[in-house]
Amino acid sequence: MPPQLGSSLQRPEPGSGASQLFTWEEIGLHAGQKNSKQEKWLVINRKVYDISQFQWRHPGGTRVISHYAGQDATDAFTAFHKDEDLVQKYLHQLLIGELAPDQPNCEPIKNEMLVNDFRELYRTVKKMGLLKPSYLFFAIIFLHAFLLDIAAWLTIWFFGKSWMPFLAGIALFTTAQIQYGFFQHDLGHVSVFQKPKWNRRLHFILTAVLKLGKKKKKYMPYKYQHTYFSLLAPMIFVIFMQLTVFRFTILRKKWMELIFIVLFNIRVCLMYVPIMGFKSFMAYYWLARFLESNWFLWVSQMNHIPMNIDYDKNLDWVSTQLSATCNVDQSLFNDWYTGHLNFQIEHHLFPTMPRHNYWKVAPLVKSLCAKHGVQYLCKPLLTAFADILSSLKESSEHWEDAYLHG
């Protein structure tokens, strides 16, 4: 008996094996927007899945998967799930049907030609081996950061703590820490090893990547946010980040992570306190952290703050990513200084792609964007930095009005 439309039959239980056909209109009614108890469905490769219960067990978090309820999640799913065999075990239990043959591959409001072309590009990228990491590249990345770390200590040990070696040591230590951070970012995106578990294990050893969230204050001088961004933002980031790391690990009972964090601090203290004293070490360490925070904030925000970031409009994957980010010109220095985050467009489109392959896929992405009239924005590094301040200045009046008169 052929599959029948969902409107004519009662919905089968997830994983029951029953075959049922659905329209995009029916799927859109199961977005769970009215209340948390409403059923939530999504579509992956034309298959319809009920995630109403699974959303609470989703390893990536409830918010991520429920965001795509009532929508086509194919491209997001493909982008973030590297181990296809593992996820198929979960998907089979959630399957309730598929799209009817007369339904397009994505919601009617999306650009189906762009969607299909990007999926063809993804298949091409996979065949070219651009999703496979170069272990030699990442070994060099880690080794050069490690050597910078050692060089920082040797500078203080050999030359002492006078101003010149003190500042040179800070520069080396800061650079080592930020390069460790870029490597950690690679591990977080499962792009160093083929198997996600190995990325997670090494990521865990290096240190945990945590995202800081602050509650909104009643009033802050947002009118001048572009002037204090360079000084206040890094100071707040480094202090609150340190405190939040400990708070998170204790509240979530992440005892192994807490042990590794404590061991890192013990290691740094044992390396530096005997050769420069505690007071000098405190100045050395916190100044390095401040510079590291500056480096991180400018690099991480140059692709995002100046862009038009809005509420979800259920655009196709390519249009969504291109509207919210931009690239910075390629050069050996820019690649190294930004940890290849100057290729932010490619990083967003292919989040598990090893960064050493971004430059190879960039021309293909540009061609796709040119074909469909999607803006592919690329700018010089200093222009990208200046755009952060100009964007903050432009939005400052809106912030001030919202907080003072809203």
Side-chain angles (χ1 to χ4, degrees), residues 114-231:
L114 176 55
V115 169
N116 291 336
D117 283 350
F118 175 74
R119 291 174 186 175
E120 181 59 35
L121 172 60
Y122 188 91
R123 288 189 287 268
T124 300
V125 164
K126 197 170 182 180
K127 289 178 182 178
M128 293 172 64
L130 298 184
L131 298 179
K132 295 181 179 179
S134 167
Y135 297 130
L136 177 61
F137 172 86
F138 286 112
I140 293 173
I141 289 295
F142 176 78
L143 181 61
H144 106 284
F146 178 75
L147 291 176
L148 286 167
D149 200 1
I150 297 300
W153 180 83
L154 287 174
T155 299
I156 303 298
W157 175 77
F158 187 80
F159 295 103
K161 58 179 183 178
S162 58
W163 277 110
M164 288 302 293
F166 183 84
L167 295 176
I170 287 177
L172 290 168
F173 183 77
T174 299
T175 305
Q177 291 301 309
I178 201 71
Q179 293 298 327
Y180 279 143
F182 290 144
F183 183 58
Q184 183 184 27
H185 178 259
D186 297 323
L187 292 166
H189 278 270
V190 198
S191 61
V192 178
F193 299 104
Q194 285 291 88
K195 291 294 183 180
K197 66 178 181 180
W198 290 109
N199 289 276
R200 288 194 295 268
R201 287 174 181 176
L202 185 53
H203 183 273
F204 172 77
I205 292 173
L206 285 177
T207 186
V209 174
L210 302 173
K211 188 173 290 186
L212 174 65
K214 274 180 62 81
K215 291 184 179 179
K216 185 172 72 173
K217 302 296 183 181
K218 183 176 180 181
Y219 171 71
M220 288 186 66
Y222 286 97
K223 183 177 181 180
Y224 308 104
Q225 60 184 359
H226 56 290
T227 60
Y228 61 71
F229 173 82
S230 303
L231 178 65

Side-chain angles (χ1 to χ4, degrees), residues 297-340:
L297 286 172
W298 284 92
V299 168
S300 64
Q301 299 308 307
M302 66 182 182
N303 312 93
H304 299 108
I305 285 183
M307 302 304 293
N308 179 30
I309 300 176
D310 204 344
Y311 293 104
D312 176 40
K313 297 180 179 179
N314 194 16
L315 299 175
D316 60 86
W317 179 253
V318 175
S319 299
T320 299
Q321 306 312 318
L322 270 291
S323 66
T325 191
C326 64
N327 276 7
V328 168
D329 293 341
Q330 182 192 16
S331 70
L332 289 177
F333 174 78
N334 286 356
D335 292 351
W336 173 83
Y337 183 78
T338 66
H340 289 85

Side-chain angles (χ1 to χ4, degrees), residues 35-52:
N35 60 74
S36 58
K37 295 182 179 180
Q38 185 184 12
E39 287 183 341
K40 295 182 178 180
W41 301 356
L42 54 73
V43 176
I44 300 173
N45 292 319
R46 299 189 63 85
K47 303 291 185 181
V48 182
Y49 299 94
D50 184 348
I51 61 167
S52 304

